[in-house]
Amino acid sequence: MMFSLIFSKGPLLDMQPGVRVCAPSAALLSLFCRGCLSRVQSWPSRSFTSLSRQMGRWNNTDTSNTQDNPRVLITGGLGQLGVGLAQMLRKQYGRENVILSDIKKPPPHVCASGPFVYADVLDYKHLRELIVNNRITWLVHYSALLSAVGEANVALARKINITGLHNVLDLALENCLRIFVPSTIGAFGPSSPRDPAPDLCVQRPRTIYGVSKVHGELMGEYLHHKYGLDFRCLRYPGVISVNTPPGGGTTDYAVQIFHDALSTGHHECYLRPDTRLPMMHISDCHRATVEFMQAPECQLSLRTYNIAAMSFTPEEVAKEIRKHLPHLKVTYNPDSVRQTIADSWPVRFDDTNARRDWGWAPAYALEELVSDMLGSIRDMRTNEGFPVS
């Protein structure tokens, strides 16, 4: 049996310059808020075990849930991004409404900050229990092996980055969740436009990390168009932060150089001094993610967007750091694996669509990023009793 839910979007309104805003009818707004599947034509067997039960949920006229805060589950929450995003979401939606998860034991301050649970993205049944028992409505999927680490263990990267992705996509579809899956500059390859890289172009990456991210972008878009899944994806630049140590990415030098500048005064860089890559302060990354998740679905012309802030080389960031720490010495010893990866990535992102559709704008440029990173690391080292160079 085949079902089709057909409706039209409301008129577009010019509420802010350059930002698309739509005004759907009250009935349509209720459908969007509940994440219902608007273009259902057939049903995946694993995701929909009871058609009548699901149809009853989507067509229920009780809209009380739309007044509730979202219930958020973050997978891979102990990586670079999860803890900070959870803090931002908890400030808006409440401490108990945002659940961090990972397969590692969290440090005490993470346990004290809000709910944390064990979750392995390869364990479909356990993930389903977490989603159902905790009434999850938003899923942020951060579990992944990054570029350099993935190349060292392709089989594990394939399992986590692709099989794990399929699990969360199926569960999001089954439970009518809004799901966010990040992508990356690594989703582009040597044949992609590099300066700038647009949202839509040839990608063809040459790392398992990049291949898995393109796969995620396309699977999410497919499930959105075929079943109405509320899939959302941002291509992150290199993300620079203080609190989490580098985790095996190609842009990790841009974090380590700040720690080295304040500890030893010397940094050995594994990329050439002229290797330009897109970068972003973690605060901008978190804010972009939250604003994108909050954007009304009718404002989105794409399911995957580039977001940009700045683009710099190791030589340029070292020069900016020397304005604060003139003694910094940087030597260059290019690593063949990471350099090859970096040379295949974009030099800059074109994020015109994100700025137009949902009002994206970064707050940090290179000067502000360097000042903030040095100040934060200096305070952290002082509080922990370490000397500052």
Side-chain angles (χ1 to χ4, degrees):
M1 183 176 293
M2 184 174 294
F3 290 83
S4 179
L5 303 177
I6 303 173
F7 53 79
S8 60
K9 296 181 180 177
L12 292 176
L13 302 179
D14 292 325
M15 300 297 291
Q16 299 178 19
V19 179
R20 299 168 67 251
V21 181
C22 73
S25 66
L28 178 57
L29 182 60
S30 173
L31 290 178
F32 273 122
C33 292
R34 294 181 67 79
C36 85
L37 307 184
S38 59
R39 289 173 291 277
V40 178
Q41 295 182 352
S42 59
W43 310 93
S45 58
R46 171 165 150 179
S47 295
F48 296 99
T49 57
S50 174
L51 178 59
S52 60
R53 183 186 66 212
Q54 296 294 346
M55 289 301 294
R57 178 193 302 171
W58 299 329
N59 293 312
N60 191 335
T61 57
D62 176 12
T63 60
S64 59
N65 286 341
T66 65
Q67 306 303 318
D68 296 341
N69 286 329
R71 297 273 298 170
V72 186
L73 175 66
I74 302 174
T75 67
L78 297 183
Q80 183 186 19
L81 301 175
V83 173
L85 181 68
Q87 290 174 348
M88 183 174 289
L89 289 170
R90 284 167 178 162
K91 287 180 181 178
Q92 295 195 36
Y93 299 126
R95 181 178 182 272
E96 299 303 315
N97 285 323
V98 181
I99 302 173
L100 273 175
S101 71
D102 210 307
I103 60 172
K104 300 179 290 185
K105 181 180 178 180
H109 74 274
V110 171
C111 288
S113 65
F116 179 91
V117 297
Y118 174 90
D120 181 352
V121 296
L122 299 178
D123 188 339
Y124 183 86
K125 182 180 178 182
H126 183 233
L127 277 178
R128 173 188 269 167
E129 291 174 353
L130 286 175
I131 289 167
V132 172
N133 291 343
N134 291 284
R135 297 172 287 112
I136 299 301
T137 57
W138 287 9
L139 179 56
V140 177
H141 180 55
Y142 276 154
S143 294
L145 286 192
L146 301 183
S147 55
V149 173
E151 289 307 286
N153 196 336
V154 172
L156 181 61
R158 189 172 63 241
K159 287 177 63 178
I160 294 175
N161 295 8
I162 296 180
T163 304
L165 169 76
H166 284 209
N167 285 342
V168 297
L169 288 175
D170 284 354
L171 287 166
L173 195 57
E174 176 181 333
N175 293 280
C176 302
L177 308 183
R178 176 170 297 180
I179 181 170
F180 176 82
V181 179
S183 190
T184 166
I185 51 176
F188 296 93
S191 56
S192 306
R194 299 189 68 219
D195 191 11
D199 286 314
L200 301 175
C201 65
V202 173
Q203 292 181 253
R204 303 189 68 80
R206 292 186 178 176
T207 65
I208 186 61
Y209 178 60
V211 168
S212 68
K213 288 302 183 181
V214 173
H215 178 77
E217 293 176 14
L218 295 177
M219 279 300 303
E221 186 170 339
Y222 167 78
L223 292 172
H224 169 72
H225 288 298
K226 189 170 181 67
Y227 302 113
L229 176 67
D230 191 353
F231 170 85
R232 303 182 183 212
C233 177
L234 294 177
R235 293 193 188 111
Y236 289 156
V239 178
I240 301 175
S241 64
V242 171
N243 294 324
T244 307
T250 300
T251 59
D252 282 354
Y253 87 87
V255 175
Q256 190 62 46
I257 191 171
F258 291 100
H259 290 275
D260 292 345
L262 286 165
S263 58
T264 65
H266 172 250
H267 174 71
E268 181 174 283
C269 185
Y270 52 74
L271 298 179
R272 294 190 313 268
D274 63 346
T275 305
R276 183 175 301 279
L277 291 169
M279 301 285 184
M280 177 175 284
H281 190 283
I282 193 168
S283 294
D284 276 342
C285 179
H286 289 327
R287 183 170 56 82
T289 303
V290 173
E291 290 177 0
F292 182 49
M293 286 293 281
Q294 292 171 336
E297 195 167 10
C298 54
Q299 288 182 215
L300 307 182
S301 64
L302 301 169
R303 287 289 127 182
T304 298
Y305 290 87
N306 294 338
I307 52 170
M310 67 195 83
S311 186
F312 58 74
T313 68
E315 194 170 46
E316 289 170 350
V317 71
K319 182 179 178 181
E320 188 65 32
I321 293 172
R322 288 193 187 101
K323 294 179 181 178
H324 304 262
L325 300 170
H327 65 277
L328 173 64
K329 180 182 179 182
V330 179
T331 55
Y332 296 93
N333 182 21
D335 171 75
S336 60
V337 173
R338 294 195 190 195
Q339 187 65 60
T340 300
I341 293 172
D343 288 343
S344 72
W345 286 357
V347 170
R348 290 181 180 85
F349 268 161
D350 178 358
D351 63 352
T352 302
N353 291 319
R355 293 172 185 259
R356 181 200 66 215
D357 288 0
W358 46 277
W360 162 243
Y364 286 81
L366 179 58
E367 182 179 352
E368 292 80 17
L369 181 145
V370 168
S371 295
D372 181 79
M373 287 290 291
L374 290 176
S376 298
I377 294 174
R378 183 180 285 111
D379 291 344
M380 183 174 66
R381 291 184 63 83
T382 300
N383 292 337
E384 293 176 355
F386 293 115
V388 176
S389 173

